[in-house]
Amino acid sequence: MKENIHPQYHKVVFMDMNSGFKFLTGSTKTANETIPWEDGNTYPLIKVEVSSDTHPFYTGVQKFTDRGGRTERFMKRYNMKEK
């Protein structure tokens, strides 16, 4: 492999914002926020909306509350009213 062209691979913690589920894995992503882990080390924290803990494909049910559809969120974000 050529040196200095690949992103740095390190351990990070991903946290599901809907359930609070956290897991430690390797990634090239970085974050400004950190969190102490069970092994006593501190790792970068990356927050995600959906993980295997809340995704209906893995759980068989929808765990997080209904936040509305894409159209509803768009309309709310830009203060628009549906016709």
Side-chain angles (χ1 to χ4, degrees), residues 64-75:
F64 51 91
T65 59
D66 185 25
R67 294 177 28 202
R70 288 184 184 183
T71 305
E72 290 176 20
R73 289 186 297 200
F74 176 84
M75 298 300 237

Side-chain angles (χ1 to χ4, degrees):
M1 288 194 313
K2 290 185 180 179
E3 292 186 22
N4 301 323
I5 64 166
H6 300 285
Q8 184 180 6
Y9 187 79
H10 54 278
K11 291 190 177 195
V12 297
V13 175
F14 283 90
M15 181 170 84
D16 189 321
M17 296 304 295
N18 290 307
S19 67
F21 176 70
K22 295 177 243 168
F23 59 95
L24 178 67
T25 187
S27 178
T28 58
K29 291 191 69 76
T30 59
N32 295 331
E33 198 171 346
T34 60
I35 188 170
W37 191 245
E38 300 159 357
D39 62 3
N41 294 323
T42 302
Y43 299 103
L45 175 66
I46 299 175
K47 297 177 180 176
V48 294
E49 293 289 324
V50 178
S51 71
S52 61
D53 188 54
T54 56
H55 195 282
F57 179 80
Y58 297 103
T59 63
V61 296
Q62 189 167 355
K63 284 188 175 182
F64 51 91
T65 59
D66 185 25
R67 294 177 28 202
R70 288 184 184 183
T71 305
E72 290 176 20
R73 289 186 297 200
F74 176 84
M75 298 300 237
K76 186 176 179 181
R77 182 181 298 148
Y78 296 105
N79 292 325
M80 301 173 78
K81 295 181 181 175
E82 293 187 47
K83 295 180 182 179

